[in-house]
Amino acid sequence: MRRMTARPANAHQARLLRLLRDGGAHSRAQLGEEVDLSRSKLAVEVDRLLETGLVVADGLAASRGGRRSHNIRLAPHLRFLGVDIGATSVDVAVTNAELEVLGHITQPMDVREGPVAVFEQVLDMAEKLKASGLAEGFDGAGIGVPGPVRFPEGVPVAPPIMPGWDGFPVREALSQELGCPVMVDNDVNLMAMGEQHAGVARTARDFLCVKIGTGIGCGIVVGSTVYRGTTGSAGDIGHIQVEPDGLPCACGNQGCLEAHFSGSALARDAEQVAREGRSAELAARLAAAGRLSAADVAAAASGGDTAALELIRRGGRHTGQVIAGLVSFFNPGLVVIGGGVTGLGHNLLAAIRTQVYRQSLPLATGNLPIVLGELGPAAGVIGGARLISDHLFSPA
Amino acid sequence: MRRMTARPANAHQARLLRLLRDGGAHSRAQLGEEVDLSRSKLAVEVDRLLETGLVVADGLAASRGGRRSHNIRLAPHLRFLGVDIGATSVDVAVTNAELEVLGHITQPMDVREGPVAVFEQVLDMAEKLKASGLAEGFDGAGIGVPGPVRFPEGVPVAPPIMPGWDGFPVREALSQELGCPVMVDNDVNLMAMGEQHAGVARTARDFLCVKIGTGIGCGIVVGSTVYRGTTGSAGDIGHIQVEPDGLPCACGNQGCLEAHFSGSALARDAEQVAREGRSAELAARLAAAGRLSAADVAAAASGGDTAALELIRRGGRHTGQVIAGLVSFFNPGLVVIGGGVTGLGHNLLAAIRTQVYRQSLPLATGNLPIVLGELGPAAGVIGGARLISDHLFSPA
């Protein structure tokens, strides 16, 4: 089947495509209520979209009196690829044009192997999704990487945990390999877009999405649009200082949030607790596996292990300290917590909330929900599909 | 002379009015280059604006071949009032529609006297400006107050240093007294708008404007527009923690930035230094005046007083610590430092810069200027005029 070649010709068509993406099939009358166009002008734009093949007429709309008309929906054969590259794993999913996940594969992966090896694996996973019959090809792909990205060019810039990726032309290279348009962004921004499209942030205009995985980052959404900053490094909160004379950090400073709490800091601290004999549960897990991860701490804590619980609470306090400052500064309508360590669940959330509600001013926290993300690892891949669809559903 | 009664009828007219405000007189040809309108459509919109009296044809434009045309400019009789209410003083200025300051009065004032007394003084100052022949009346006024504002209604909300102002309908009350439209905002946002319109931030899209006066606040500009947050408290950085077990703050927490550095904290610390005999200069000033202010510290420092210099450096370090976190989070293109304590000048700036460049990641600070504001006390009143003109030069 031919892939998407057309793009919306104007802002009205772009708006119609996004309405159909976010709200599914609409009758012409329903579309008319949502866009500011005369009936005849709307008919012209819809007919043009039908001609391009981007939308189809499909099924009869419910009668509203008068002649029944066909529903309009996005072409059912359109397929987007969402790719979320983490530090230690990669998620690849295929969605339809309404960004519903049709298939989703997760595999372990080490980002430090560099872009060539990682993309070989990603392409292999994409082929598997095709082979399963979910897609004949892709109309576009959105990729997230765990570091800052020069957004217009889709190139990682000085990413601290991604040696070998600095300046690699991700967008250009993957676009050639996949044969479709590609957009690249920071993984945290993808998570924010995913939760905005299909998760807990659906109705939020201005919100923060804090991802705690191997590192810690923050997606910033202003007026329903991701804010990326002047050089694409906005949201890089892992190196905000939480302890004036704290632990040394890989960045060269002392007391950074990431040095005190993140997936890797938590594993390090848990191993120390185990070695010092302060937790029989963690010691047993360390003896069995040779190393510990955030998941071990989560499991120990859910079994009531006090040392594990204290590690989580201390991490939550440090994270909450940084979020408290961001809440005072940014006055968001919602804070979403996501990423690998959300397995730590409500113990972590409670510690973060306590710190924020104690430390930020009441005016900023009065109606501020602080919640876990709803989508888990699907947030990043849905965000990837959203990223490329935002691009493709814009005037050419 | 009759006051402004018309408003732009559509987005094109609004855009034309803002172009004339920001760039002064334009020929029709120049306007055509800046807006995306056909020649005939542009002529229609300009003619309609001429009919409303908002713009006038004035002087012959430079010849560009062919028949010479008249320049178009904003009506010269339009007058805006900018009011910047601080904790201890008030600035009132009158501008023309191009936001040039025609007259500017500053008076001492105590915001704690409450809105009725303060507005009596403001109205009196506005009358003085009228009496001097600069204005026959005002077409609109923009007011800044030193606390959070519920922006759409123009009402201060729980302002910590403004007892008696909580919920006072500033916009409505002043609009009745002045007989013109009024917009109200936080004083820090006004400063940011002033520096954006006529000061050091003229070309910045995403920037922060940190005002250090009696308290400390931050104006946030995203995509050339002030970002106010979900409840209007964005930029409230004075209560971000800088010392985990630091000084008690009026807000009930410990170690807030404002508890350690601000105009009032500096005065307090300077008096302590004087009393402890650590600075002959500050002791002499305290004996003479009975109290000290930031200006005394500035004067002592410029005379080489080491205790005064150390107070400034310590304040700069604390401020820089908070700004470093904001820079990592927000990745701005520019940071402007303004407010009363900019009399501390380059000693303060140097301490702030050192801390930010040391503590934020290189990607965020690589091309980041940190500079003093250019406009001094004029920033707030120009920002007030800009605020109301943005409102009036929007489609009705």
Side-chain angles (χ1 to χ4, degrees), chain B residues 131-169:
Chain B
S132 66
L134 297 170
E136 295 182 14
F138 303 106
D139 298 285
I143 320 278
V145 298
V149 171
R150 206 157 59 226
F151 185 69
E153 299 94 336
V155 171
V157 192
I161 65 167
M162 300 166 67
W165 289 75
D166 189 14
F168 187 86

Side-chain angles (χ1 to χ4, degrees), chain A residues 148 157 206 208 220 227 229-236 239-241 253 325-326 328-333 358-359 361 363-364, chain B residues 148 157 206 208 220 227 229-236 239-241 253 325-326 328-333 358-359 361 363-364:
Chain A
V157 192
D206 303 315
L208 301 181
I220 307 169
Y227 171 79
T230 298
T231 56
S233 79
D236 203 347
H239 302 278
I240 292 181
Q241 199 176 54
N253 278 321
L326 303 184
S328 293
F329 171 73
F330 185 70
N331 186 203
R358 201 168 68 87
Q359 208 175 303
L361 291 183
L363 186 59
Chain B
V157 192
D206 302 315
L208 300 180
I220 307 169
Y227 170 80
T230 298
T231 56
S233 79
D236 203 347
H239 301 278
I240 292 181
Q241 198 177 52
N253 278 320
L326 304 184
S328 293
F329 172 73
F330 185 71
N331 186 203
R358 202 167 68 88
Q359 209 175 302
L361 290 182
L363 187 58

Side-chain angles (χ1 to χ4, degrees), chain B residues 149-388:
Chain B
V149 171
R150 206 157 59 226
F151 185 69
E153 299 94 336
V155 171
V157 192
I161 65 167
M162 300 166 67
W165 289 75
D166 189 14
F168 187 86
V170 174
R171 182 177 181 181
E172 200 186 314
L174 268 189
S175 179
Q176 274 182 14
E177 291 287 347
L178 289 166
C180 67
V182 170
M183 295 291 283
V184 184
D185 204 345
N186 181 272
D187 63 334
V188 185
N189 291 342
L190 252 56
M191 180 182 152
M193 280 185 265
E195 291 289 348
Q196 181 184 24
H197 184 81
V200 71
R202 269 185 304 267
T203 59
R205 263 183 64 80
D206 302 315
F207 70 96
L208 300 180
C209 191
V210 178
K211 183 175 181 181
I212 313 174
T214 304
I216 295 192
C218 179
I220 307 169
V221 176
V222 178
S224 305
T225 302
V226 170
Y227 170 80
R228 297 184 174 87
T230 298
T231 56
S233 79
D236 203 347
I237 64 171
H239 301 278
I240 292 181
Q241 198 177 52
V242 292
E243 297 270 358
D245 297 301
L247 297 172
C249 181
C251 76
N253 278 320
Q254 279 189 294
C256 297
L257 174 58
E258 272 189 26
H260 286 267
F261 186 62
S262 64
S264 46
L266 188 62
R268 174 201 66 204
D269 291 348
E271 288 175 10
Q272 192 183 343
V273 162
R275 272 188 241 104
E276 289 173 359
R278 288 190 279 140
S279 159
E281 172 70 22
L282 289 174
R285 287 174 172 267
L286 179 60
R291 54 197 292 266
L292 292 176
S293 71
D296 293 303
V297 180
S302 71
D305 185 280
T306 50
L309 275 169
E310 180 48 30
L311 285 178
I312 296 172
R313 287 200 196 108
R314 202 171 61 196
R317 276 199 301 277
H318 279 131
T319 311
Q321 202 177 317
V322 167
I323 295 179
L326 304 184
V327 164
S328 293
F329 172 73
F330 185 71
N331 186 203
L334 171 71
V335 176
V336 181
I337 311 287
V341 305
T342 46
L344 306 174
H346 287 274
N347 289 311
L348 176 68
L349 196 60
I352 291 175
R353 283 177 173 155
T354 303
Q355 195 66 24
V356 174
Y357 293 143
R358 202 167 68 88
Q359 209 175 302
S360 301
L361 290 182
L363 187 58
T365 56
N367 286 305
L368 177 66
I370 303 176
V371 299
L372 295 178
E374 270 178 7
L375 302 178
V381 290
I382 294 173
R386 164 96 176 203
L387 173 70
I388 188 65

